[in-house]
Amino acid sequence: MFEVKLKDSKTFTCESSETIFQGAKRNGILLEHSCLTARCKSCRALIIKGQVENIQDEFVLSSEEKELGYTLTCNAKPCSDIELDIEDLGSYNIPDTKTIPAKIDAINYLKKDVVQIVFRTPPAQKLNFLSGQYVNIIKADIKRSYSIANSLRSDGKLEFLIKNYPGGVMSNYWFNEATIGDLLRIEGPLGTFFLRNIANVETVIFLATGTGIAPIKAILEKLAEQEETLKTEIYLFWGGRFTPDFFWEPEFKKLNLKYIPVLSRSNQDWTGDIGYVQDVVIQQNINLTNAQVYACGSEAMINTSQKLLTDNGLQESNFYSDAFVISN
Ligand SMILES: Cc1cc2nc3c(=O)[nH]c(=O)nc-3n(C[C@H](O)[C@H](O)[C@H](O)COP(=O)(O)OP(=O)(O)OC[C@H]3O[C@@H](n4cnc5c(N)ncnc54)[C@H](O)[C@@H]3O)c2cc1C
């Protein structure tokens, strides 16, 4: 049994047979995470002191990150007492995960390869969640992760923005078979992609590619529900390949929001920004030293943004991400 110490001085015990994430959870401590299978980097942590053994190769970490001493808490088992540069997220009161039945309430094709699916849930079993979290949608023996695209609603409905992955098992269901009234199961909420305390933050930057806009839409909806107009400067950079990729329009009068859609390549009718979202953030000359960044979508965008933005003044601990990696 080893002792794990966090940045906020919290400590917990961890068996050599369990991962740091499991040890923390067993002790009532919640660490940042998403996929929990070493496929994304949400649970990346810097080891300040001590040694760990990895269950599988941490291929999502770059060799530079490995050399610096980063590990994935969902994949690392302690071999000594350790100290990590991460904090307990317990104070955010994340609702417990449960599995509930859910019926398809609406199916709207927003463009050829993106569908909005709305589920209704039983009134007695509404799913409580923090805006930005995701769930697993279960259909018989298929289970896939999807981010909830709305903030908590009083009617318990859950909206999802789903992309068609050609040849994908669940994609085939969403785009060819799904019918209003179909009964599936939803397991959640999951992950820790939600808004942190922004009271002392100058700028909040959201980066999305494709349907990675889903949890960001949910977070913006939640922010816009506040009584007073929020003064914090908010940027939303949304990357797509073609203009129809911007299938949702952010309209939040109560937010000081600057929305910048970004096409990855030039297009005759396009007068907006061109390139990659992270490069356009740099072009905007935003002071990143007192900013928080929330990135969701492709792994490539997340990895490149994290490096570029931290190289340009963003604190490592102020970058939060949810990568839409392939489901298990
Ligand atoms: C935390 C999390 C949240 C997610 N939220 C959303 C969401 O809100 N909206 C959404 O559209 N998707 C989301 N995804 C992705 C989703 O879980 C599935 O991966 C995706 O819908 C494909 O499932 P499928 O059964 O159609 O494809 P599969 O049958 O699983 O795969 C078929 C083929 O498609 C390709 N493929 C599958 N998934 C991906 C992927 N994620 N990236 C690149 N290529 C892939 C691969 O080549 C694979 O071989 C999320 C993933 C995670 C981990």
Side-chain angles (χ1 to χ4, degrees):
M1 185 85 87
F2 297 111
E3 187 182 78
V4 181
K5 187 172 175 197
L6 303 179
K7 190 163 81 171
D8 50 12
S9 294
K10 285 204 177 155
T11 56
F12 60 90
T13 53
C14 192
E15 307 266 2
S16 55
S17 57
E18 63 186 350
T19 66
I20 296 169
F21 180 86
Q22 288 166 339
K25 195 172 175 206
R26 189 173 46 76
N27 284 282
I29 286 178
L30 186 71
L31 302 181
E32 190 140 338
H33 69 281
S34 184
C35 78
L36 291 180
T37 46
R39 291 169 297 129
C40 75
K41 279 168 53 164
S42 294
C43 68
R44 190 184 82 136
L46 182 64
I47 305 173
I48 298 166
K49 228 192 259 169
Q51 276 88 44
V52 297
E53 185 194 349
N54 295 329
I55 297 172
Q56 52 177 295
D57 183 24
E58 297 187 333
F59 64 90
V60 292
L61 293 180
S62 66
S63 42
E64 196 186 339
E65 286 173 312
K66 286 179 187 171
E67 266 165 40
L68 285 169
Y70 282 96
T71 193
L72 301 175
T73 63
C74 77
N75 186 54
K77 297 192 286 188
C79 304
S80 69
D81 288 348
I82 43 180
E83 208 176 312
L84 300 171
D85 189 25
I86 49 168
E87 291 174 335
D88 175 21
L89 294 177
S91 63
Y92 285 95
N93 291 326
I94 302 174
D96 288 339
T97 301
K98 59 181 181 179
T99 303
I100 57 164
K103 272 190 178 169
I104 296 185
D105 191 58
I107 303 174
N108 300 308
Y109 293 91
L110 304 180
K111 66 187 197 86
K112 209 173 73 200
D113 61 352
V114 173
V115 64
Q116 177 205 47
I117 305 271
V118 181
F119 280 92
R120 60 177 192 275
T121 56
Q125 293 184 59
K126 277 184 202 156
L127 195 80
N128 196 8
F129 61 92
L130 298 184
S131 288
Q133 288 192 281
Y134 76 92
V135 297
N136 285 328
I137 302 187
I138 306 164
K139 184 185 170 285
D141 56 350
I142 316 166
K143 191 197 254 195
R144 295 288 183 272
S145 307
Y146 295 99
S147 299
I148 304 169
N150 60 288
S151 63
L152 200 62
R153 286 169 51 149
S154 55
D155 63 6
K157 286 189 184 175
L158 301 170
E159 174 194 339
F160 299 92
L161 299 173
I162 297 175
K163 178 183 159 181
N164 188 9
Y165 288 84
V169 176
M170 203 62 177
S171 295
N172 180 51
Y173 168 70
W174 298 124
F175 286 81
N176 300 316
E177 297 169 1
T179 311
I180 290 176
D182 280 5
L183 180 64
L184 285 85
R185 281 182 302 144
I186 288 183
E187 176 193 31
L190 297 163
T192 52
F193 190 71
F194 52 78
L195 196 73
R196 305 302 195 269
N197 186 349
I198 58 165
N200 298 315
V201 171
E202 250 167 54
T203 313
V204 178
I205 301 169
F206 294 102
L207 304 179
T209 53
T211 47
I213 197 68
I216 292 173
K217 173 178 174 292
I219 294 173
L220 289 171
E221 280 182 13
K222 179 71 190 162
L223 274 173
E225 282 164 17
Q226 302 195 4
E227 291 277 303
E228 288 170 22
T229 306
L230 195 72
K231 297 230 169 46
T232 316
E233 185 176 48
I234 302 174
Y235 283 86
L236 167 59
F237 298 86
W238 187 11
R241 292 177 67 199
F242 306 101
T243 41
D245 290 347
F246 307 120
F247 50 79
W248 168 73
E249 191 68 33
E251 284 174 60
F252 297 102
K253 291 200 177 66
K254 280 194 181 164
L255 301 182
N256 177 11
L257 173 70
K258 189 163 183 203
Y259 166 49
I260 304 182
V262 183
L263 273 196
S264 55
R265 56 185 93 166
S266 66
N267 178 313
Q268 273 183 337
D269 317 320
W270 185 250
T271 52
D273 286 273
I274 295 166
Y276 293 117
V277 282
Q278 61 276 12
D279 297 325
V280 178
V281 175
I282 301 298
Q283 285 160 20
Q284 289 285 321
N285 282 321
I286 304 166
N287 177 4
L288 296 172
T289 51
N290 192 14
Q292 281 182 357
V293 174
Y294 297 83
C296 186
S298 77
E299 228 179 324
M301 181 276 281
I302 289 171
N303 291 343
T304 325
S305 312
Q306 183 165 29
K307 168 115 189 42
L308 184 69
L309 302 183
T310 48
D311 282 352
N312 280 275
L314 181 76
Q315 284 178 45
E316 287 271 352
S317 57
N318 282 342
F319 184 90
Y320 308 98
S321 64
D322 219 6
F324 283 3
V325 290
I326 297 175
S327 295
N328 259 350

